[in-house]
Amino acid sequence: MSADFDEAELALLLVDPALWSEPSQGLADLVVAAVVAEVVAAAAAASAPAKAPVVDLHQWRNRRWLAPAGAAIGGAAAAALLTVALTPRHDDGAVSSAANPALIASLALTGTGLATGVQGSADVSVVPSGVQIRIRAPGLPRREGDEFYEGWLKSCDSTRLVPIGTFHELADATGWAGVSIDKHPIVTITRESVAGPKDVAQGSSGEVVLSGKLAPCP
Amino acid sequence: MSLVSAVDENTLAAFRQGDERAVRALYDAYGRLVFAIANRVLRDIGLAEEAVQQTFVQAWRGSVTFEQGRDPAPWLATIARRVAIDIQRREARRPTSPLDDAPPGDGSLVTHDPSADQLWSTWETRAAIEALAPDERQIVRLQHMEGYTQQEIADKLGIALGTVKSRSFRAHRSLAAKLRHVREPIGEQ
């Protein structure tokens, strides 16, 4: 059996900087959010008859028939499908819910050339059905009738786009998604209008007015 | 509470169910140790934090096959090593700057992945450090990581040299005892 280390041997072990670095304070929240989002996505994939609402960006282009109200109903139905046995709880024992979400990230949204100078913010919270994204961009003008805004979560390589809701105004709006935010860390807001009735789906117009990132892309 | 205290079976069972509180408890118990392994491989705090997230996600995915009653530490360490090496290889495929620009210790300069034994030593050493009293941990850090003499530590902290010496002695005795079992593998490398 080995004897104890002497101080010189210990020094060789202890000099490694990796032993002394500390992770960020917020890493625990990100880990919890990542696992919970994975649990939600797995449960949704197991229970939903159709595939989860992660779509190929190219398949969505030029398909636009859902009115905002219809899309909102579709979003609610999707959220219902994503409701799973999971009941995330906070340290105080409270159950996460849409009315009592667990905030995990906040980010700034910046106006593009289509909304120069407009600033906004998004708060991302974990709820039992996935993540809730509260968007506040009071500088964007209200859209009426068949014109609206749509929120999206996007993957870093821009190949996957997840709708989070449609809105006439974004002074204080809330959307939802049932996907892992660490795989879809980009939040964008696009300008949309209702398309013709022959289209089979409503996709992104590509007219991004606001965008922000939850985390840097590799 | 020690950061290395094992979580109980109920917590592990709740973790398998995806319970948020159990995920946090597992992170509280092992998150810093997972981070130490990831940082040892990647030498980059941002990438190491990404690896920590992926480690816990993969741990949840594999938790249904995790045998009840076993210590989750080696299991998490194995996942963390694999995840970190995957990230390191992904980063190695990215466009790079000239090697001359890379700081010493940069991951791109590392030619071999650390062995499982080396990373388990990192895990055990970090756990032993975490188990020290805060004032002892501070002195060990200043001495070994920052390179201060005991007199310099006493001056820096405004305490007597004798206090530094006694805390240092206690800390090293504790570390030596806790790390006795990792000595042979380290000696063989």
Side-chain angles (χ1 to χ4, degrees):
Chain A
M1 180 174 159
S2 302
D4 285 353
F5 284 97
D6 62 30
E7 193 160 334
E9 289 174 305
L10 274 178
L12 287 174
L13 268 183
L14 298 171
V15 74
D16 187 347
L19 291 168
W20 299 98
S21 297
E22 293 292 334
S24 305
Q25 292 286 331
L27 184 58
D29 290 337
L30 291 174
V31 166
V32 170
V35 174
V36 168
E38 189 73 14
V39 173
V40 170
S47 62
K51 68 176 185 178
V54 179
V55 295
D56 185 303
L57 184 61
H58 305 296
Q59 292 176 353
W60 273 81
R61 291 200 187 284
N62 304 318
R63 295 186 297 175
R64 27 196 318 108
W65 61 272
L66 290 176
I73 293 169
L81 280 174
L82 296 181
T83 301
V84 293
L86 168 74
T87 52
R89 290 177 181 278
H90 305 296
D91 291 341
D92 60 4
V95 178
S96 292
S97 67
N100 181 25
L103 181 68
I104 56 169
S106 295
L107 67 152
L109 298 173
T110 305
T112 67
L114 296 177
T116 306
V118 174
Q119 298 291 322
S121 65
D123 293 335
V124 182
S125 306
V126 173
V127 293
S129 57
V131 289
Q132 171 185 301
I133 301 102
R134 183 180 181 187
I135 300 162
R136 277 165 286 194
L140 282 178
R142 180 179 172 83
R143 308 200 86 201
E144 300 285 0
D146 289 345
E147 295 187 331
F148 55 98
Y149 297 105
E150 188 158 9
W152 308 87
L153 293 180
K154 193 166 71 170
S155 60
C156 279
D157 62 5
S158 298
T159 59
R160 300 205 301 175
L161 197 60
V162 182
I164 61 176
T166 57
F167 318 93
H168 279 307
E169 66 176 28
L170 285 163
D172 191 343
T174 301
W176 288 271
V179 295
S180 168
I181 58 169
D182 62 347
K183 292 179 181 172
H184 305 84
I186 301 171
V187 176
T188 62
I189 304 295
T190 56
R191 202 168 57 182
E192 307 285 343
S193 58
V194 177
K198 292 183 180 178
D199 290 341
V200 295
Q202 175 84 47
S204 169
S205 66
E207 296 175 16
V208 177
V209 292
L210 284 175
S211 68
K213 285 181 184 174
L214 289 158
C217 285
Chain B
M1 186 186 81
S2 167
L3 286 167
V4 295
S5 63
V7 294
D8 59 29
E9 275 301 312
N10 289 338
T11 300
L12 286 174
F15 177 74
R16 288 187 197 97
Q17 300 300 315
D19 180 84
E20 179 182 334
R21 199 160 43 178
V23 177
R24 192 174 294 277
L26 201 67
Y27 175 86
D28 287 344
Y30 298 107
R32 290 184 178 190
L33 304 179
V34 168
F35 174 78
I37 282 193
N39 199 23
R40 169 72 175 78
V41 174
L42 293 162
R43 303 292 183 187
D44 181 291
I45 288 176
L47 292 175
E49 291 188 345
E50 179 187 345
V52 173
Q53 291 182 59
Q54 288 189 31
T55 296
F56 280 89
V57 168
Q58 291 198 16
W60 175 76
R61 287 180 188 152
S63 60
V64 289
T65 61
F66 181 69
E67 190 179 330
Q68 287 190 356
R70 288 181 55 201
D71 179 4
W75 173 61
L76 284 170
T78 301
I79 297 171
R81 174 177 183 265
R82 191 174 61 231
V83 166
I85 289 173
D86 284 348
I87 290 175
Q88 184 186 49
R89 289 174 180 165
R90 180 197 74 193
E91 292 299 304
R93 289 195 295 270
R94 293 162 58 83
T96 56
S97 55
L99 285 178
D100 288 348
D101 295 343
D106 187 287
S108 62
L109 299 179
V110 176
T111 54
H112 299 290
D113 298 330
S115 70
D117 280 347
Q118 286 173 313
L119 292 178
W120 184 242
S121 294
T122 297
W123 177 290
E124 295 275 44
T125 307
R126 174 75 188 222
I129 291 170
E130 296 284 350
L132 294 174
D135 55 356
E136 294 172 0
R137 187 162 59 238
Q138 182 184 35
I139 284 175
V140 172
R141 179 191 171 98
L142 289 170
Q143 188 172 348
H144 294 291
M145 183 60 207
E146 310 289 343
Y148 287 103
T149 65
Q150 290 187 331
Q151 183 61 59
E152 288 169 337
I153 293 170
D155 295 341
K156 184 178 177 64
L157 299 181
I159 57 178
L161 176 60
T163 304
V164 172
K165 286 182 174 177
S166 62
R167 288 178 186 172
S168 175
F169 175 77
R170 280 200 307 271
H172 285 93
R173 186 177 57 186
S174 171
L175 289 170
K178 285 189 168 64
L179 296 174
R180 180 187 298 137
H181 61 292
V182 302
R183 189 182 194 208
E184 287 184 348
I186 293 170
E188 290 166 358
Q189 288 163 9

